[in-house]
Amino acid sequence: MVLTAENKLELPRYPAHTGPSSEYKQWFGRKSIHSYQEMHRVRWPEWEFERNCVAALVVAGIGHRKCPVRRPWAYTCIAGAMIVAFADTWPVIPKKGFGSEADIEEILWEALWEAVGKNREKLDADFLGAMMRNLLPRSSESRFADKWHNPDTGFADSSAGRVCNLRQERIREGKKALTRLPEPVQASVREVARHVPRMTRIVVTHISRAEHP
């Protein structure tokens, strides 16, 4: 990663594979579950908390604005805003673009991992852990990206074209989700969300130019 004098973080075209590829033994990983009863007592509340964190952040940050249709670019809007919140630097998409869309999540994840490593105390620990688990690129894509076009609970109102809107029902649910979170978590959601609009404009402008060079 290259930091310019204008507080912009120039992202590489290809991943360097410097971030973890699993939550196993990572500070943001979940503790092991050893019984079915424990699954219901511990896991379900954890999953509900994570869903609320992601929904609240997406809706607070994007709202009724146009946003990317494709998963990797939607991921860039949220992960990019997280990077700004931690490092006060704006991720810059390479002029020649990324090597491939398949690389995008890994590249943003590596930049986020570096930013968080130096400033973990900037956001609520529970919120941060939930977002790191959802943004972690796994064997195919992150949980966040997997949710973007989920037919039942997805955020995007279209799977065609370059830009879309959030589904109206997701907007309503995201607003409610924010109220269900503890105040320290709400504060972290708002801190990251204030950077999402600019990050989204950066991404939408880039993909629009790519379509009409």
Side-chain angles (χ1 to χ4, degrees):
M1 309 294 171
V2 179
L3 183 60
T4 70
E6 297 82 20
N7 248 28
K8 294 181 180 179
L9 183 68
E10 295 184 358
L11 299 171
R13 295 196 67 208
Y14 301 95
H17 306 292
T18 54
S21 57
S22 167
E23 65 183 73
Y24 180 64
K25 290 188 176 181
Q26 296 295 334
W27 56 264
F28 61 86
R30 294 192 188 94
K31 294 180 180 179
S32 299
I33 292 294
H34 302 289
S35 69
Y36 184 77
Q37 290 76 14
E38 195 175 6
M39 172 75 76
H40 279 267
R41 182 175 60 83
V42 177
R43 275 294 182 264
W44 287 113
E46 288 180 347
W47 288 333
E48 183 65 20
F49 175 76
E50 288 190 17
R51 283 195 294 269
N52 285 336
C53 285
V54 174
L57 177 55
V58 169
V59 171
I62 296 175
H64 295 281
R65 299 175 182 86
K66 291 292 183 182
C67 55
V69 166
R70 296 186 65 80
R71 294 175 174 92
W73 293 115
Y75 178 102
T76 302
C77 296
I78 301 302
M82 293 277 293
I83 292 167
V84 180
F86 278 104
D88 291 324
T89 59
W90 288 91
V92 177
I93 299 170
K95 291 182 179 179
K96 294 183 178 180
F98 295 109
S100 72
E101 282 199 356
D103 293 329
I104 293 176
E105 283 193 75
E106 184 69 29
I107 292 167
L108 267 295
W109 169 253
E110 289 167 6
L112 176 60
W113 180 249
E114 183 176 338
V116 170
K118 299 175 182 177
N119 305 282
R120 270 172 59 180
E121 74 286 348
K122 279 195 171 183
L123 295 180
D124 178 85
D126 292 331
F127 168 76
L128 178 56
M131 292 308 302
M132 294 297 278
R133 289 190 292 273
N134 276 269
L135 293 172
L136 170 69
R138 298 173 188 270
S139 57
S140 56
E141 61 184 2
S142 65
R143 288 177 183 152
F144 174 87
D146 183 60
K147 292 173 184 174
W148 191 249
H149 283 301
N150 184 291
D152 298 316
T153 59
F155 292 103
D157 69 354
S158 174
S159 59
R162 296 295 180 111
V163 296
C164 64
N165 294 102
L166 298 183
R167 294 182 185 179
Q168 290 301 310
E169 59 267 36
R170 295 293 89 78
I171 292 177
R172 291 192 293 270
E173 290 169 5
K175 290 179 178 179
K176 290 180 181 178
L178 183 62
T179 66
R180 299 188 188 108
L181 297 169
E183 182 51 44
V185 179
Q186 291 187 32
S188 289
V189 170
R190 294 188 184 100
E191 173 59 26
V192 178
R194 70 189 184 94
H195 303 299
V196 174
R198 180 178 172 185
M199 198 67 223
T200 302
R201 287 195 300 272
I202 291 171
V203 172
V204 168
T205 298
H206 174 82
I207 58 181
S208 297
R209 286 174 177 168
E211 184 177 18
H212 303 289

Short mmCIF file of all heavy atoms in Angstrom, two decimals, residues 78-129:
data_model
loop_
_atom_site.label_atom_id
_atom_site.label_comp_id
_atom_site.label_asym_id
_atom_site.label_seq_id
_atom_site.Cartn_x
_atom_site.Cartn_y
_atom_site.Cartn_z
N ILE A 78 -18.08 -0.43 1.69
CA ILE A 78 -18.11 -0.62 3.14
C ILE A 78 -16.72 -0.80 3.71
O ILE A 78 -16.35 -0.16 4.70
CB ILE A 78 -19.01 -1.82 3.49
CG1 ILE A 78 -20.43 -1.60 2.97
CG2 ILE A 78 -19.01 -2.05 5.01
CD1 ILE A 78 -21.11 -0.35 3.50
N ALA A 79 -15.92 -1.67 3.11
CA ALA A 79 -14.55 -1.87 3.61
C ALA A 79 -13.74 -0.59 3.47
O ALA A 79 -12.93 -0.26 4.35
CB ALA A 79 -13.87 -3.01 2.84
N GLY A 80 -13.95 0.15 2.39
CA GLY A 80 -13.24 1.40 2.20
C GLY A 80 -13.58 2.41 3.28
O GLY A 80 -12.71 3.11 3.81
N ALA A 81 -14.86 2.49 3.66
CA ALA A 81 -15.28 3.40 4.73
C ALA A 81 -14.67 2.98 6.06
O ALA A 81 -14.31 3.83 6.88
CB ALA A 81 -16.80 3.43 4.82
N MET A 82 -14.55 1.68 6.29
CA MET A 82 -13.90 1.18 7.51
C MET A 82 -12.44 1.64 7.55
O MET A 82 -11.93 2.06 8.59
CB MET A 82 -13.98 -0.34 7.56
CG MET A 82 -15.37 -0.93 7.72
SD MET A 82 -15.95 -0.97 9.43
CE MET A 82 -14.86 -2.18 10.17
N ILE A 83 -11.76 1.55 6.42
CA ILE A 83 -10.35 1.97 6.34
C ILE A 83 -10.22 3.45 6.69
O ILE A 83 -9.34 3.85 7.45
CB ILE A 83 -9.78 1.69 4.94
CG1 ILE A 83 -9.68 0.18 4.71
CG2 ILE A 83 -8.41 2.35 4.76
CD1 ILE A 83 -9.43 -0.22 3.27
N VAL A 84 -11.12 4.27 6.15
CA VAL A 84 -11.07 5.71 6.44
C VAL A 84 -11.27 5.96 7.93
O VAL A 84 -10.57 6.76 8.55
CB VAL A 84 -12.14 6.47 5.64
CG1 VAL A 84 -12.06 7.97 5.95
CG2 VAL A 84 -11.97 6.25 4.14
N ALA A 85 -12.23 5.25 8.54
CA ALA A 85 -12.52 5.44 9.95
C ALA A 85 -11.31 5.12 10.82
O ALA A 85 -11.08 5.76 11.85
CB ALA A 85 -13.71 4.57 10.37
N PHE A 86 -10.52 4.13 10.41
CA PHE A 86 -9.37 3.73 11.21
C PHE A 86 -8.11 4.51 10.89
O PHE A 86 -7.33 4.85 11.77
CB PHE A 86 -9.09 2.23 11.01
CG PHE A 86 -9.97 1.36 11.85
CD1 PHE A 86 -11.04 0.68 11.29
CD2 PHE A 86 -9.73 1.22 13.20
CE1 PHE A 86 -11.86 -0.11 12.07
CE2 PHE A 86 -10.54 0.43 13.99
CZ PHE A 86 -11.62 -0.25 13.43
N ALA A 87 -7.87 4.79 9.62
CA ALA A 87 -6.58 5.34 9.21
C ALA A 87 -6.63 6.77 8.69
O ALA A 87 -5.59 7.36 8.41
CB ALA A 87 -5.97 4.44 8.14
N ASP A 88 -7.84 7.34 8.57
CA ASP A 88 -7.98 8.70 8.02
C ASP A 88 -7.33 8.83 6.64
O ASP A 88 -6.78 9.87 6.29
CB ASP A 88 -7.37 9.74 8.97
CG ASP A 88 -8.16 9.88 10.26
OD1 ASP A 88 -9.40 9.78 10.20
OD2 ASP A 88 -7.55 10.07 11.32
N THR A 89 -7.38 7.77 5.87
CA THR A 89 -6.87 7.79 4.50
C THR A 89 -7.95 7.22 3.57
O THR A 89 -8.66 6.29 3.93
CB THR A 89 -5.59 6.95 4.35
OG1 THR A 89 -5.87 5.58 4.74
CG2 THR A 89 -4.48 7.48 5.24
N TRP A 90 -8.05 7.81 2.37
CA TRP A 90 -9.07 7.38 1.41
C TRP A 90 -8.47 6.40 0.42
O TRP A 90 -7.52 6.73 -0.29
CB TRP A 90 -9.64 8.59 0.67
CG TRP A 90 -10.52 9.39 1.56
CD1 TRP A 90 -10.15 10.45 2.34
CD2 TRP A 90 -11.91 9.16 1.81
NE1 TRP A 90 -11.23 10.90 3.06
CE2 TRP A 90 -12.32 10.14 2.75
CE3 TRP A 90 -12.84 8.24 1.33
CZ2 TRP A 90 -13.63 10.21 3.23
CZ3 TRP A 90 -14.13 8.31 1.80
CH2 TRP A 90 -14.53 9.28 2.73
N PRO A 91 -9.00 5.18 0.34
CA PRO A 91 -8.51 4.21 -0.65
C PRO A 91 -8.73 4.72 -2.07
O PRO A 91 -9.80 5.24 -2.40
CB PRO A 91 -9.36 2.97 -0.37
CG PRO A 91 -9.85 3.13 1.04
CD PRO A 91 -10.04 4.61 1.21
N VAL A 92 -7.71 4.59 -2.88
CA VAL A 92 -7.77 5.03 -4.28
C VAL A 92 -7.70 3.81 -5.19
O VAL A 92 -6.77 3.00 -5.10
CB VAL A 92 -6.60 5.99 -4.60
CG1 VAL A 92 -6.62 6.38 -6.07
CG2 VAL A 92 -6.67 7.23 -3.72
N ILE A 93 -8.69 3.67 -6.05
CA ILE A 93 -8.71 2.56 -7.00
C ILE A 93 -7.62 2.79 -8.05
O ILE A 93 -7.47 3.90 -8.57
CB ILE A 93 -10.09 2.47 -7.68
CG1 ILE A 93 -11.17 2.22 -6.61
CG2 ILE A 93 -10.11 1.38 -8.75
CD1 ILE A 93 -12.59 2.36 -7.12
N PRO A 94 -6.82 1.78 -8.37
CA PRO A 94 -5.75 1.96 -9.36
C PRO A 94 -6.28 2.51 -10.69
O PRO A 94 -7.38 2.16 -11.12
CB PRO A 94 -5.19 0.55 -9.53
CG PRO A 94 -5.56 -0.17 -8.28
CD PRO A 94 -6.87 0.41 -7.85
N LYS A 95 -5.51 3.37 -11.33
CA LYS A 95 -5.95 3.98 -12.59
C LYS A 95 -6.26 2.93 -13.65
O LYS A 95 -7.16 3.10 -14.47
CB LYS A 95 -4.87 4.94 -13.11
CG LYS A 95 -4.72 6.20 -12.26
CD LYS A 95 -3.67 7.13 -12.84
CE LYS A 95 -3.54 8.39 -11.99
NZ LYS A 95 -2.50 9.32 -12.52
N LYS A 96 -5.49 1.85 -13.64
CA LYS A 96 -5.73 0.78 -14.61
C LYS A 96 -6.73 -0.25 -14.09
O LYS A 96 -6.98 -1.27 -14.73
CB LYS A 96 -4.41 0.09 -14.96
CG LYS A 96 -3.43 0.97 -15.71
CD LYS A 96 -2.18 0.19 -16.09
CE LYS A 96 -1.21 1.05 -16.89
NZ LYS A 96 0.01 0.29 -17.27
N GLY A 97 -7.30 0.03 -12.92
CA GLY A 97 -8.24 -0.91 -12.33
C GLY A 97 -7.54 -2.04 -11.60
O GLY A 97 -6.32 -2.16 -11.66
N PHE A 98 -8.31 -2.85 -10.94
CA PHE A 98 -7.75 -4.01 -10.27
C PHE A 98 -7.46 -5.11 -11.29
O PHE A 98 -8.03 -5.11 -12.39
CB PHE A 98 -8.71 -4.53 -9.21
CG PHE A 98 -8.94 -3.57 -8.07
CD1 PHE A 98 -10.15 -2.91 -7.92
CD2 PHE A 98 -7.92 -3.31 -7.15
CE1 PHE A 98 -10.36 -2.02 -6.88
CE2 PHE A 98 -8.13 -2.42 -6.11
CZ PHE A 98 -9.34 -1.78 -5.97
N GLY A 99 -6.59 -6.04 -10.92
CA GLY A 99 -6.24 -7.12 -11.84
C GLY A 99 -7.48 -7.85 -12.33
O GLY A 99 -7.61 -8.16 -13.51
N SER A 100 -8.40 -8.12 -11.41
CA SER A 100 -9.68 -8.74 -11.74
C SER A 100 -10.64 -8.47 -10.60
O SER A 100 -10.22 -8.14 -9.48
CB SER A 100 -9.53 -10.24 -11.97
OG SER A 100 -9.31 -10.91 -10.73
N GLU A 101 -11.91 -8.62 -10.87
CA GLU A 101 -12.89 -8.42 -9.79
C GLU A 101 -12.70 -9.44 -8.68
O GLU A 101 -13.04 -9.18 -7.53
CB GLU A 101 -14.32 -8.50 -10.34
CG GLU A 101 -14.76 -7.25 -11.07
CD GLU A 101 -16.27 -7.14 -11.22
OE1 GLU A 101 -16.98 -8.09 -10.81
OE2 GLU A 101 -16.74 -6.11 -11.74
N ALA A 102 -12.17 -10.59 -9.03
CA ALA A 102 -11.94 -11.63 -8.02
C ALA A 102 -10.89 -11.21 -6.99
O ALA A 102 -10.83 -11.77 -5.89
CB ALA A 102 -11.51 -12.93 -8.70
N ASP A 103 -10.06 -10.21 -7.36
CA ASP A 103 -9.01 -9.74 -6.45
C ASP A 103 -9.48 -8.65 -5.50
O ASP A 103 -8.80 -8.35 -4.51
CB ASP A 103 -7.83 -9.18 -7.25
CG ASP A 103 -7.08 -10.23 -8.04
OD1 ASP A 103 -7.04 -11.39 -7.59
OD2 ASP A 103 -6.55 -9.89 -9.11
N ILE A 104 -10.61 -8.02 -5.79
CA ILE A 104 -10.99 -6.79 -5.09
C ILE A 104 -11.15 -6.99 -3.59
O ILE A 104 -10.60 -6.23 -2.78
CB ILE A 104 -12.27 -6.20 -5.70
CG1 ILE A 104 -11.99 -5.72 -7.13
CG2 ILE A 104 -12.78 -5.04 -4.84
CD1 ILE A 104 -13.21 -5.21 -7.87
N GLU A 105 -11.90 -8.01 -3.20
CA GLU A 105 -12.13 -8.22 -1.77
C GLU A 105 -10.81 -8.44 -1.04
O GLU A 105 -10.59 -7.87 0.04
CB GLU A 105 -13.06 -9.41 -1.54
CG GLU A 105 -14.52 -9.11 -1.81
CD GLU A 105 -15.43 -10.20 -1.27
OE1 GLU A 105 -15.63 -10.25 -0.05
OE2 GLU A 105 -15.94 -11.00 -2.09
N GLU A 106 -9.94 -9.25 -1.60
CA GLU A 106 -8.66 -9.55 -0.95
C GLU A 106 -7.81 -8.28 -0.80
O GLU A 106 -7.20 -8.05 0.26
CB GLU A 106 -7.90 -10.59 -1.76
CG GLU A 106 -6.60 -11.05 -1.11
CD GLU A 106 -6.81 -11.87 0.14
OE1 GLU A 106 -7.85 -12.56 0.26
OE2 GLU A 106 -5.93 -11.81 1.03
N ILE A 107 -7.80 -7.44 -1.81
CA ILE A 107 -7.00 -6.22 -1.76
C ILE A 107 -7.54 -5.26 -0.70
O ILE A 107 -6.77 -4.70 0.11
CB ILE A 107 -6.97 -5.54 -3.15
CG1 ILE A 107 -6.18 -6.40 -4.14
CG2 ILE A 107 -6.37 -4.14 -3.06
CD1 ILE A 107 -6.35 -6.00 -5.58
N LEU A 108 -8.85 -5.05 -0.67
CA LEU A 108 -9.44 -4.17 0.35
C LEU A 108 -9.28 -4.76 1.74
O LEU A 108 -9.04 -4.03 2.71
CB LEU A 108 -10.92 -3.94 0.03
CG LEU A 108 -11.29 -2.71 -0.82
CD1 LEU A 108 -10.97 -1.42 -0.07
CD2 LEU A 108 -10.63 -2.73 -2.17
N TRP A 109 -9.40 -6.08 1.85
CA TRP A 109 -9.23 -6.74 3.14
C TRP A 109 -7.81 -6.53 3.67
O TRP A 109 -7.62 -6.25 4.87
CB TRP A 109 -9.52 -8.23 3.00
CG TRP A 109 -9.14 -9.06 4.20
CD1 TRP A 109 -8.10 -9.93 4.29
CD2 TRP A 109 -9.79 -9.09 5.48
NE1 TRP A 109 -8.05 -10.51 5.54
CE2 TRP A 109 -9.07 -10.01 6.29
CE3 TRP A 109 -10.89 -8.44 6.02
CZ2 TRP A 109 -9.45 -10.30 7.61
CZ3 TRP A 109 -11.26 -8.71 7.34
CH2 TRP A 109 -10.54 -9.62 8.11
N GLU A 110 -6.82 -6.63 2.81
CA GLU A 110 -5.43 -6.42 3.24
C GLU A 110 -5.21 -4.98 3.73
O GLU A 110 -4.53 -4.75 4.73
CB GLU A 110 -4.48 -6.75 2.09
CG GLU A 110 -4.41 -8.24 1.80
CD GLU A 110 -3.73 -8.57 0.48
OE1 GLU A 110 -3.21 -7.65 -0.17
OE2 GLU A 110 -3.71 -9.76 0.11
N ALA A 111 -5.81 -4.03 3.03
CA ALA A 111 -5.70 -2.63 3.45
C ALA A 111 -6.42 -2.41 4.77
O ALA A 111 -5.93 -1.68 5.66
CB ALA A 111 -6.27 -1.72 2.37
N LEU A 112 -7.59 -3.04 4.94
CA LEU A 112 -8.34 -2.92 6.18
C LEU A 112 -7.58 -3.57 7.33
O LEU A 112 -7.50 -3.01 8.43
CB LEU A 112 -9.72 -3.56 6.03
CG LEU A 112 -10.59 -3.60 7.29
CD1 LEU A 112 -10.86 -2.19 7.81
CD2 LEU A 112 -11.90 -4.33 7.00
N TRP A 113 -7.01 -4.73 7.08
CA TRP A 113 -6.26 -5.45 8.11
C TRP A 113 -5.10 -4.59 8.62
O TRP A 113 -4.84 -4.52 9.83
CB TRP A 113 -5.74 -6.76 7.54
CG TRP A 113 -4.95 -7.60 8.50
CD1 TRP A 113 -3.62 -7.86 8.47
CD2 TRP A 113 -5.46 -8.27 9.66
NE1 TRP A 113 -3.25 -8.67 9.52
CE2 TRP A 113 -4.36 -8.94 10.27
CE3 TRP A 113 -6.72 -8.39 10.24
CZ2 TRP A 113 -4.49 -9.70 11.43
CZ3 TRP A 113 -6.86 -9.15 11.40
CH2 TRP A 113 -5.76 -9.79 11.98
N GLU A 114 -4.41 -3.93 7.71
CA GLU A 114 -3.30 -3.07 8.09
C GLU A 114 -3.79 -1.86 8.90
O GLU A 114 -3.19 -1.48 9.91
CB GLU A 114 -2.56 -2.59 6.85
CG GLU A 114 -1.33 -1.74 7.15
CD GLU A 114 -0.55 -1.37 5.90
OE1 GLU A 114 -0.70 -2.08 4.87
OE2 GLU A 114 0.19 -0.38 5.94
N ALA A 115 -4.89 -1.25 8.46
CA ALA A 115 -5.43 -0.08 9.15
C ALA A 115 -5.92 -0.43 10.56
O ALA A 115 -5.65 0.30 11.53
CB ALA A 115 -6.57 0.54 8.34
N VAL A 116 -6.61 -1.54 10.68
CA VAL A 116 -7.15 -1.96 11.97
C VAL A 116 -6.02 -2.34 12.93
O VAL A 116 -6.09 -2.06 14.13
CB VAL A 116 -8.13 -3.13 11.79
CG1 VAL A 116 -8.50 -3.74 13.14
CG2 VAL A 116 -9.39 -2.66 11.07
N GLY A 117 -4.99 -2.97 12.40
CA GLY A 117 -3.89 -3.43 13.24
C GLY A 117 -3.24 -2.33 14.04
O GLY A 117 -2.72 -2.55 15.14
N LYS A 118 -3.28 -1.12 13.51
CA LYS A 118 -2.63 0.01 14.17
C LYS A 118 -3.59 0.83 15.04
O LYS A 118 -3.15 1.66 15.84
CB LYS A 118 -2.01 0.93 13.12
CG LYS A 118 -0.95 0.27 12.26
CD LYS A 118 -0.49 1.21 11.16
CE LYS A 118 0.55 0.54 10.27
NZ LYS A 118 0.95 1.42 9.14
N ASN A 119 -4.90 0.61 14.87
CA ASN A 119 -5.86 1.51 15.51
C ASN A 119 -7.10 0.79 16.03
O ASN A 119 -8.20 1.34 15.99
CB ASN A 119 -6.32 2.58 14.51
CG ASN A 119 -5.17 3.36 13.91
OD1 ASN A 119 -4.63 4.25 14.55
ND2 ASN A 119 -4.80 3.02 12.69
N ARG A 120 -6.97 -0.42 16.53
CA ARG A 120 -8.13 -1.21 16.92
C ARG A 120 -9.03 -0.52 17.93
O ARG A 120 -10.24 -0.75 17.97
CB ARG A 120 -7.69 -2.57 17.48
CG ARG A 120 -7.56 -3.64 16.43
CD ARG A 120 -6.94 -4.89 16.99
NE ARG A 120 -7.68 -5.48 18.08
CZ ARG A 120 -7.30 -6.59 18.72
NH1 ARG A 120 -6.18 -7.20 18.34
NH2 ARG A 120 -8.01 -7.07 19.70
N GLU A 121 -8.46 0.32 18.76
CA GLU A 121 -9.22 0.96 19.83
C GLU A 121 -10.16 2.05 19.33
O GLU A 121 -10.98 2.58 20.09
CB GLU A 121 -8.26 1.56 20.86
CG GLU A 121 -7.54 2.82 20.45
CD GLU A 121 -6.42 2.59 19.43
OE1 GLU A 121 -6.04 1.41 19.19
OE2 GLU A 121 -5.91 3.58 18.88
N LYS A 122 -10.10 2.40 18.05
CA LYS A 122 -10.91 3.51 17.53
C LYS A 122 -12.41 3.20 17.50
O LYS A 122 -13.23 4.12 17.54
CB LYS A 122 -10.44 3.90 16.13
CG LYS A 122 -9.21 4.80 16.12
CD LYS A 122 -9.03 5.45 14.77
CE LYS A 122 -7.95 6.52 14.81
NZ LYS A 122 -7.81 7.22 13.52
N LEU A 123 -12.77 1.91 17.37
CA LEU A 123 -14.18 1.55 17.30
C LEU A 123 -14.50 0.50 18.37
O LEU A 123 -13.62 -0.17 18.88
CB LEU A 123 -14.53 1.00 15.92
CG LEU A 123 -14.41 1.95 14.72
CD1 LEU A 123 -14.79 1.23 13.45
CD2 LEU A 123 -15.28 3.19 14.92
N ASP A 124 -15.78 0.38 18.66
CA ASP A 124 -16.24 -0.61 19.62
C ASP A 124 -15.76 -2.00 19.24
O ASP A 124 -15.87 -2.41 18.08
CB ASP A 124 -17.78 -0.59 19.68
CG ASP A 124 -18.33 -1.62 20.63
OD1 ASP A 124 -18.42 -1.35 21.83
OD2 ASP A 124 -18.66 -2.73 20.13
N ALA A 125 -15.24 -2.74 20.21
CA ALA A 125 -14.63 -4.05 19.94
C ALA A 125 -15.64 -5.06 19.40
O ALA A 125 -15.31 -5.86 18.50
CB ALA A 125 -13.97 -4.59 21.20
N ASP A 126 -16.86 -5.07 19.93
CA ASP A 126 -17.87 -6.04 19.46
C ASP A 126 -18.28 -5.72 18.03
O ASP A 126 -18.44 -6.64 17.20
CB ASP A 126 -19.09 -6.02 20.38
CG ASP A 126 -18.78 -6.57 21.76
OD1 ASP A 126 -17.88 -7.43 21.88
OD2 ASP A 126 -19.44 -6.16 22.73
N PHE A 127 -18.49 -4.45 17.73
CA PHE A 127 -18.83 -4.05 16.36
C PHE A 127 -17.71 -4.42 15.41
O PHE A 127 -17.94 -4.98 14.33
CB PHE A 127 -19.08 -2.54 16.31
CG PHE A 127 -19.16 -1.99 14.92
CD1 PHE A 127 -20.28 -2.18 14.13
CD2 PHE A 127 -18.10 -1.27 14.37
CE1 PHE A 127 -20.36 -1.67 12.84
CE2 PHE A 127 -18.16 -0.75 13.09
CZ PHE A 127 -19.29 -0.96 12.33
N LEU A 128 -16.48 -4.12 15.79
CA LEU A 128 -15.34 -4.39 14.92
C LEU A 128 -15.21 -5.88 14.65
O LEU A 128 -15.00 -6.29 13.50
CB LEU A 128 -14.06 -3.85 15.55
CG LEU A 128 -12.76 -4.10 14.78
CD1 LEU A 128 -12.85 -3.55 13.36
CD2 LEU A 128 -11.58 -3.49 15.52
N GLY A 129 -15.34 -6.70 15.69
CA GLY A 129 -15.24 -8.14 15.49
C GLY A 129 -16.30 -8.65 14.53
O GLY A 129 -16.03 -9.47 13.65
#
